[in-house]
Amino acid sequence: KMFFLYNITYNIEEQIHDQWLQWVQEHHIPDVLKNTPFVGAKLIKVLMDEDMGGVTYSIQYQAANRAMLDIFLFESKFNIFGDMLKMFPNQFVSFSTELEMVQEFVKE
C-alpha cells in the first residue's frame, strides 16, 4: 500500500526543549491531525548530536494519497505551523520534505 509523508525536521534550542516537546505532543500534533487531511503522525527523536547544538526531532505526517498531501500543501500548511512560530519565536529551525513510500519490507 502506497502512502505519502510530509516530514518536518526541527532543531530545538535546549532551554525550551521540555516545553516544546510537551506542547507538540499535547496540542500541535493533535491540532494538525484534526485540521488537515493527514491520517496519522509519528514523532521521532534524532539521536545524533548536531554541530549547532539543540535537540532534533522529526514529525512525519501521513497522507493516504497524493491528492490529500496536495490539499494540505495548498490549503493548510501556513495556518497550521504559524502557531509554533508564535509560541517559540526564533528558538528553532526546521525544514520539510515530501516523501512517497515506494515499498515497505518486513522481516518474516
Side-chain angles (χ1 to χ4, degrees):
K1 181 180 176 186
M2 293 179 57
F3 58 85
F4 292 81
L5 295 170
Y6 186 72
N7 179 82
I8 309 162
T9 302
Y10 297 95
N11 180 268
I12 311 301
E13 291 183 1
E14 290 183 27
Q15 62 266 29
I16 63 150
H17 171 261
D18 293 345
Q19 181 186 1
W20 181 89
L21 184 59
Q22 181 177 358
W23 179 79
V24 162
Q25 292 173 301
E26 294 177 3
H27 301 285
H28 182 67
I29 293 174
D31 287 347
V32 170
L33 290 176
K34 185 170 60 176
N35 295 300
T36 68
F38 292 129
V39 296
K42 292 180 181 175
L43 175 62
I44 301 162
K45 185 174 183 179
V46 177
L47 296 179
M48 56 187 271
D49 290 332
E50 291 289 340
D51 293 338
M52 65 179 148
V55 184
T56 302
Y57 286 87
S58 167
I59 302 176
Q60 295 183 347
Y61 295 100
Q62 184 176 335
N65 54 52
R66 180 70 211 203
M68 293 296 106
L69 179 59
D70 287 342
I71 288 170
F72 164 76
L73 292 171
F74 293 112
E75 294 180 7
S76 306
K77 181 177 174 181
F78 295 107
N79 297 338
I80 295 299
F81 300 109
D83 288 350
M84 191 178 298
L85 292 169
K86 291 177 194 159
M87 288 286 299
F88 304 100
N90 303 312
Q91 296 174 303
F92 70 93
V93 294
S94 65
F95 67 91
S96 60
T97 311
E98 297 165 35
L99 306 168
E100 176 183 0
M101 192 199 58
V102 175
Q103 183 176 356
E104 188 171 30
F105 296 85
V106 179
K107 185 174 180 178
E108 295 183 21

